[in-house]
Amino acid sequence: MSNATEMVNSMLHNATTWVEQNFMNLVLALAIFFVGKWLAKGLTKLSRKLMEKSNLEKTLVDFLAGLIHAALFLFVVVAALAKLGIETTSIVALIGAAGLAIGLALKDSLQNFASGIMLILFKPFKAGDFVEMAGVTGIVEKIAIFSTIMRTPDNKEVIVPNGAIYGDNIVNYSARPTRRVDMVFGVSYDDDIRKVKQLIIDYLAQDERVLKDPAPVVKVSELADSSVNFIVRPWVNAADYWGVYWDAHENLKILFDENDITIPYPQMDVHVDKGAKSE
């Protein structure tokens, strides 16, 4: 019993001695901790307000604010310990090693996260845009930190990892207000190509969805094996793209039929040499 009492008394004596010798350092360390904690909280609030004013997504704002607060708080703790004379090099090294291990374990997730931040910051597309990316074509429903949710034209929901998006080409069909409709129509070699060209020009002129500037392009593009091919390239508002595309194919076919313009089937002429002798 006496040994335990002596041990406790020795520990109390040592603690008292250490406090007396390091009283000012202890006070300064506590001041660094509490003032630093207060500053970290204030800087986190300030950074959150700045990010919110930048119209960043709320999920990203919350995550970055938490990350900033954790980094500042860790810095304050290390500074306070250093003031007490505690060796902080090993602590920093341990934290770095733990961060590296976590980073390697979550490599794919971190890649998706970093890509998500880049997509939100640089905004190559936004919710509601019709895009083609990572092998998926559809409307962007939501851009999250780790993935982007898309809706395909046949109403399927596709969740695409952000890493796959940012590492590939992104085609945003909604980025510009106008689009060019590219079409090809083939007619027979026996048809009057001047008449065909005028029919197409007149049809485009009466379609109010086709823009006058830039003017539509109607040109003979190819003398193919079975047909004379016309490229037809009107400009339209992006929202009218598919309507003009589908209507032009249907209505020009009807117009060609009414004017005896032939859209030929693929064909091949076979010439037989009658002078050839069979063995």
Side-chain angles (χ1 to χ4, degrees):
M1 186 69 178
S2 60
N3 290 336
T5 304
E6 289 178 1
M7 184 178 297
V8 171
N9 290 334
S10 176
M11 291 176 63
L12 289 174
H13 175 73
N14 291 336
T16 303
T17 303
W18 183 89
V19 170
E20 290 175 352
Q21 294 175 349
N22 298 277
F23 180 74
M24 288 304 300
N25 287 337
L26 181 61
V27 172
L28 289 174
L30 290 173
I32 290 172
F33 178 78
F34 288 108
V35 174
K37 184 179 178 181
W38 176 77
L39 286 174
K41 187 176 181 181
L43 289 173
T44 302
K45 286 184 177 180
L46 178 61
S47 62
R48 178 186 289 274
K49 288 181 180 179
L50 292 175
M51 289 186 288
E52 288 174 348
K53 286 183 179 180
S54 301
N55 296 322
L56 291 180
E57 186 184 345
K58 186 178 183 302
T59 307
L60 179 59
V61 171
D62 293 340
F63 184 87
L64 290 179
L67 197 63
I68 291 171
H69 183 266
L72 291 173
F73 184 74
L74 182 62
F75 176 79
V76 168
V77 170
V78 172
L81 292 176
K83 191 61 183 176
L84 290 174
I86 298 174
E87 181 61 44
T88 58
T89 305
S90 58
I91 297 176
V92 174
L94 181 63
I95 294 173
L100 179 61
I102 293 172
L104 292 174
L106 301 176
K107 182 180 66 173
D108 293 338
S109 296
L110 291 176
Q111 180 185 4
N112 290 330
F113 168 74
S115 298
I117 291 178
M118 300 296 284
L119 291 174
I120 293 172
L121 289 177
F122 293 104
K123 298 179 180 179
F125 54 83
K126 62 182 183 300
D129 284 355
F130 186 76
V131 301
E132 178 183 345
M133 54 191 184
V136 181
T137 301
I139 297 173
V140 178
E141 295 261 296
K142 181 181 178 182
I143 307 169
I145 293 295
F146 294 98
S147 62
T148 295
I149 300 174
M150 297 178 61
R151 186 178 78 249
T152 62
D154 56 347
N155 205 34
K156 291 185 294 188
E157 182 178 290
V158 182
I159 301 174
V160 186
N162 287 333
I165 294 174
Y166 206 75
D168 199 0
N169 295 330
I170 301 173
V171 181
N172 190 340
Y173 296 105
S174 303
R176 304 296 174 89
T178 59
R179 287 184 63 187
R180 190 182 72 187
V181 185
D182 290 357
M183 298 174 286
V184 178
F185 295 94
V187 299
S188 170
Y189 274 92
D190 295 330
D191 293 323
D192 185 346
I193 62 172
R194 288 169 295 186
K195 180 181 178 181
V196 173
K197 182 176 181 179
Q198 194 59 48
L199 285 172
I200 297 174
I201 291 174
D202 291 343
Y203 169 77
L204 295 176
Q206 59 83 33
D207 191 334
E208 296 180 353
R209 297 167 298 180
V210 175
L211 302 178
K212 301 296 187 276
D213 185 23
V217 173
V218 180
K219 297 289 185 181
V220 174
S221 63
E222 183 184 13
L223 301 177
D225 293 338
S226 304
S227 63
V228 179
N229 293 337
F230 283 82
I231 55 168
V232 180
R233 294 178 175 176
W235 285 85
V236 300
N237 291 321
D240 294 328
Y241 179 90
W242 288 111
V244 171
Y245 181 88
W246 291 323
D247 290 346
H249 281 81
E250 179 179 348
N251 294 330
L252 282 175
K253 174 62 170 68
I254 294 172
L255 193 61
F256 288 168
D257 290 344
E258 292 173 349
N259 288 272
D260 297 323
I261 303 298
T262 304
I263 299 177
Y265 294 101
Q267 60 187 18
M268 178 183 296
D269 292 336
V270 179
H271 300 275
V272 178
D273 186 357
K274 295 182 178 180
K277 295 180 180 181
S278 58
E279 295 182 358

